[in-house]
Amino acid sequence: DAKTTQPTSMDCAEGRAANLPCNHSTISGNEYVYWYRQIHSQGPQYIIHGLKNNETNEMASLIITEDRKSSTLILPHATLRDTAVYYCIVRPSTDSWGKLQFGAGTQVVVTP
Amino acid sequence: SQTIHQWPATLVQPVGSPLSLECTVEGTSNPNLYWYRQAAGRGLQLLFYSVGIGQISSEVPQNLSASRPQDRQFILSSKKLLLSDSGFYLCAWSVGTAGGYTFGSGTRLTVV
């Protein structure tokens, strides 16, 4: 069963902010929201994760709605190197195995 | 700092031949270790995970097996490869339940 829903693809202009939506309407109180990206022919790269509060790091910002049913990953100034598949994943904090299950993700293409 | 090594980067093997892919992690102790596969044009599928030496759990029935002979070594094997075993194999590690995953650079396996 898919736990997250993301658009299949989106385009973004270089230098502009990229806002990537994710719906996780069945998220439980103990589940984190994780974002990864995979550049073509490389392994996935961790971007950011959060539980309830908005988070920011050197790569991106994560905005989680108050009801936690959706979130948005923001790349503040997209570059051509940000072209990748972006995965939104929910994962229980109590899962001792720490398994990550990847969905189809969003193919983001940054254009000059 | 923690690093993950995965080799070889590419591999072409005939149908029916054996397989051994190795993954090692440096700079951390008692990591959770994972093997993922990505078939061409498809998403990432979790194959095996391990929380300790000799502890292996399989996510899907398949022609592959995994072993963890040392704390920071994870091996993916097959006695007889099938054409359907072709794909991009990724090793990953994490520590604890809330941490992010770090992926290796992957092995692209082509079975001919």
Side-chain angles (χ1 to χ4, degrees):
Chain A
D1 290 338
K3 302 189 78 172
T4 64
T5 304
Q6 298 177 253
T8 304
S9 63
M10 60 185 296
D11 294 337
C12 178
E14 187 179 20
R16 297 290 187 97
N19 297 299
L20 282 61
C22 180
N23 287 321
H24 30 80
S25 58
T26 61
I27 193 170
S28 301
N30 67 346
E31 288 184 315
Y32 286 85
V33 179
Y34 282 79
W35 283 86
Y36 284 77
R37 73 179 183 184
Q38 187 177 21
I39 296 170
H40 184 63
S41 295
Q42 297 183 22
Q45 177 189 24
Y46 165 81
I47 301 174
I48 200 166
H49 75 283
L51 185 62
K52 287 189 284 189
N53 299 323
N54 297 337
E55 303 287 344
T56 295
N57 62 21
E58 64 279 4
M59 290 183 68
S61 295
L62 174 60
I63 308 299
I64 302 175
T65 58
E66 194 169 340
D67 64 8
R68 301 187 69 241
K69 293 186 177 181
S70 66
S71 60
T72 301
L73 179 75
I74 300 173
L75 307 178
H77 304 286
T79 71
L80 299 179
R81 289 177 293 181
D82 291 323
T83 292
V85 178
Y86 287 76
Y87 299 97
C88 170
I89 303 165
V90 296
R91 169 184 157 191
S93 61
T94 55
D95 181 355
S96 60
W97 297 106
K99 294 179 290 182
L100 277 180
Q101 302 284 8
F102 288 78
T106 297
Q107 173 67 64
V108 173
V109 177
V110 181
T111 55
Chain B
S1 63
Q2 302 96 344
T3 56
I4 180 168
H5 302 282
Q6 203 180 329
W7 66 91
T10 59
L11 191 59
V12 179
Q13 293 284 96
V15 168
S17 63
L19 173 73
S20 180
L21 301 180
E22 188 165 343
C23 171
T24 60
V25 180
E26 295 179 359
T28 187
S29 295
N30 198 31
N32 298 328
L33 296 173
Y34 311 85
W35 278 111
Y36 283 83
R37 176 173 63 198
Q38 188 170 36
R42 307 288 294 276
L44 288 123
Q45 180 185 35
L46 178 63
L47 301 176
F48 300 96
Y49 58 94
S50 170
V51 296
I53 296 173
Q55 300 178 59
I56 308 295
S57 293
S58 174
E59 280 292 290
V60 293
Q62 58 213 315
N63 185 42
L64 303 168
S65 62
S67 62
R68 185 170 176 175
Q70 300 180 42
D71 181 47
R72 289 169 286 181
Q73 184 184 29
F74 206 20
I75 297 172
L76 183 71
S77 304
S78 173
K79 292 182 179 178
K80 289 185 178 181
L81 284 168
L82 306 172
L83 288 174
S84 58
D85 291 324
S86 293
F88 189 41
Y89 287 83
L90 289 153
C91 179
W93 72 271
S94 72
V95 174
T97 57
Y101 281 25
T102 299
F103 283 81
S105 53
T107 294
R108 191 162 301 281
L109 171 66
T110 304
V111 182
V112 296

